Every structure is written in C-alpha cells, then in structure tokens.
Amino acid sequence: MFRLMADSKGKSRANVVPTSVNLRGLTRVGAKPPFLDYLVALWDYRHFVFFDAKANVQSGNSRDRLGSIWLILNPVLSGLTYYLIFGVLLQASRGVENFIGYLIIGVFLFQMSSRAISNGAKAIRSNLKVVQAFNFPRATLLLSVNMRELLGSVPVVLAMFLLILLFPPEEQISWLWLLIVPALLLQTVLNLGVGLVLARVVSKVNDISNLLSVALRFLMYGSCVIFPITLFDQFPTIRAIIEWNPIYQMLTIVRQSVLYNELPAWESWAILAAWALGFLAVGLVYFWNAEETYGRDQ
C-alpha cells in the first residue's frame, strides 16, 4: 500500500506499507462452479426456462398463416404419408390390430423426440452470441428446448387422441390413457439427457449435426414407429436390440394403454426409466465438465 508522506521541506513522498490480502473465497471469472452449485443455479433459472419455452411455443409459427395449427398439421401429414406408403402400398400392417392408431401414436410421439434431440444438439451453436455475451448455466438452453417440446406436446397429444377416436376401429376411453403422462415425462427426461451429450459434442465438432438426421432416421426404423416388431421374428438379435430401445418401449407403453386397453408390462417402464435417468445423469456431468469452454474460439 502506498501512502503520501510530507517531508521537512513540505514535499510529498511515497511510503510503501506492506499489507496482506486474503484471496480465499475469490473465484476466477467464468470458472466452472462445483457440480451441486451448478444444479442449484439451474433451479434458480427455472422461471426463465419456463417463460422462454412458452414464448417460443407461441411464436414458433407466427410467420405462417396457419400459425400454431402446424403443430398438429405436421404430424398429421407425416402420419398420412407413412400410412399410404407402408400401410397401403407395402402392406406393412400385417398382424397389427388398429394399424392407423398404431401409426398415429408412433409418428406423433417419435417426432417429439426427434425435434427435441435435434434442437438440443444444436442449442449451443444456435445461441452462440448469447453464450459469448452472458454468464449463465449453459444447460438452461437444453432445459428450455425440452420444456418447449413438452408444452407443445399438449395440443399434439389431444389431436392424437381425437384422431384415434375418429378412425375405426372404435376405441374406448379408459383410465389407462392417463399413463401417457408419466410416459411423456420419462420421454422428456430421455430427450434432455441425450441432448446434453450431443450439445457438447456438436459444440466442438459441428459436422456431427449433419449426421444427426441420418442417425434419427435409423432410430425411427429401430423403434418400430411404422411397422410391427414381428417383422424381425426371423432376426432374434435385431429384435432383442430393438426391445432394449427406450423409444420403442415408450411407444409400446402408450400403444398398450390407449389402443389395447392393457396395463403395460413393468419391464417396459423399467427399461424406459433406466435409460432416461441414466442418460440424464451422464449428460449433466458430461455437459457440466465443459461448461467453461462453450462459446470460446468459435
């Protein structure tokens, strides 16, 4: 510490006084916080996540004349396309009871996972200027993407139920239809976990995002979205791999509950929950480890 002292002739002179500075408790600007502190920070941003997701749902199709109706029209048109190709032309409905309902559930719910995973993987790249300009937990971007998809699923699921009731054969509404709620929540947790892993990978190697559409197409065919698993009866290894696919198990839970009025097997819930919670735990730790690097040198 410097002090100005006056000498006998009235001139000031500098006097150095040693002073100790306690650096404990100081943290480097932009440093990665401890993992538990990071989770607490994510919770503190919950209101931002909700309102950002809500605003994006409301404005997502604002430039289109039909607006939010496209949230329903897109899966309806996709389902109609797959029905004409696989149901009418290729007769892939062999052995499937209520194939239209089977197809509607598969297409509607898989597109939710496809959008959430794809948008989550690009979350850092798509918000690069925000990441570089502000200091906040980057995982909130992934939470916002999945919250947006969950909020947008409400009209989509209602439209799915309506179409199932309109198209023959007639289905009876039962309490089992409510099981779609925990199934969708587990699906959202799974999408978030996968998105966290891919977001870190894509933030470093953008080429991966170009391969993502191909991987999601493989995932769709490996989830029995548009044809039954019985097509793989002659290939037991492939069938066993598909049965461990969490998206296939999620679709099976909803189909058994809504179309066949059956209580889904506990094995389906166990496989879906294990994948969802496992991916979430791994994804959070993996994403948090690179928290300081997002937005740098890009």
Side-chain angles (χ1 to χ4, degrees):
M1 176 177 288
F2 293 91
R3 289 183 179 174
L4 294 177
M5 306 291 290
D7 57 16
S8 58
K9 296 181 179 180
K11 296 182 179 178
S12 62
R13 59 185 176 84
N15 188 22
V16 179
V17 178
T19 304
S20 62
V21 177
N22 185 5
L23 298 179
R24 292 182 179 179
L26 297 180
T27 57
R28 182 163 47 86
V29 175
K32 178 182 66 179
F35 184 65
L36 290 181
D37 292 347
Y38 191 70
L39 295 181
V40 173
L42 287 178
W43 175 252
D44 291 340
Y45 274 83
R46 62 190 183 280
H47 299 297
F48 164 76
V49 170
F50 177 77
F51 285 108
D52 179 64
K54 183 180 176 183
N56 276 295
V57 169
Q58 292 173 338
S59 62
N61 298 96
S62 58
R63 294 183 179 179
D64 302 322
R65 291 183 181 276
L66 296 181
S68 299
I69 296 178
W70 282 110
L71 288 173
I72 300 171
L73 278 182
N74 277 326
V76 168
L77 294 175
S78 297
L80 180 62
T81 303
Y82 287 125
Y83 172 71
L84 292 175
I85 295 175
F86 292 93
V88 178
L89 297 179
L90 301 181
Q91 293 293 310
S93 60
R94 290 182 294 243
V96 177
E97 183 183 350
N98 190 358
F99 180 67
I100 297 179
Y102 184 95
L103 195 61
I104 288 173
I105 289 174
V107 172
F108 274 49
L109 297 188
F110 181 81
Q111 285 198 348
M112 290 168 53
S113 276
S114 177
R115 283 195 302 269
I117 293 174
S118 180
N119 292 332
K122 302 172 185 174
I124 298 296
R125 288 276 178 179
S126 303
N127 297 277
L128 199 54
K129 292 183 178 178
V130 177
V131 170
Q132 291 172 334
F134 300 99
N135 185 25
F136 64 98
R138 306 327 191 197
T140 53
L141 298 173
L142 279 299
L143 288 171
S144 178
V145 166
N146 285 275
M147 178 60 74
R148 184 193 319 163
E149 199 59 45
L150 189 62
L151 293 176
S153 71
V154 175
V156 174
V157 169
L158 292 177
M160 184 182 78
F161 284 153
L162 182 61
L163 291 175
I164 290 173
L165 291 173
L166 287 177
F167 286 112
E170 183 180 358
E171 300 293 342
Q172 300 295 325
I173 300 176
S174 75
W175 71 269
L176 290 173
W177 287 35
L178 295 176
L179 293 178
I180 194 173
V181 176
L184 285 180
L185 291 177
L186 286 174
Q187 181 188 11
T188 301
V189 172
L190 175 69
N191 297 339
L192 174 60
V194 176
L196 285 166
V197 174
L198 290 176
R200 175 176 171 177
V201 175
V202 172
S203 71
K204 306 301 178 189
V205 187
N206 193 53
D207 304 70
I208 301 297
S209 63
N210 295 311
L211 302 175
L212 195 55
S213 60
V214 179
L216 287 173
R217 201 166 300 138
F218 271 106
L219 180 63
M220 183 186 72
Y221 291 118
S223 303
C224 292
V225 172
I226 52 182
F227 45 73
I229 196 172
T230 52
L231 288 180
F232 299 98
D233 284 346
Q234 296 179 347
F235 309 97
T237 303
I238 297 178
R239 175 167 179 146
I241 294 173
I242 292 175
E243 287 175 341
W244 280 98
N245 178 351
I247 300 293
Y248 166 75
Q249 293 296 347
M250 183 273 296
L251 295 178
T252 300
I253 289 171
V254 177
R255 283 164 175 161
Q256 287 183 325
S257 305
V258 175
L259 297 183
Y260 310 128
N261 202 29
E262 296 175 354
L263 194 63
W266 69 268
E267 291 90 346
S268 296
W269 290 106
I271 292 173
L272 176 58
W275 276 105
L277 298 177
F279 255 116
L280 179 63
V282 173
L284 277 172
V285 174
Y286 183 68
F287 187 88
W288 162 77
N289 265 320
E291 178 75 8
E292 295 181 42
T293 66
Y294 300 130
R296 292 184 179 177
D297 301 325
Q298 293 174 347

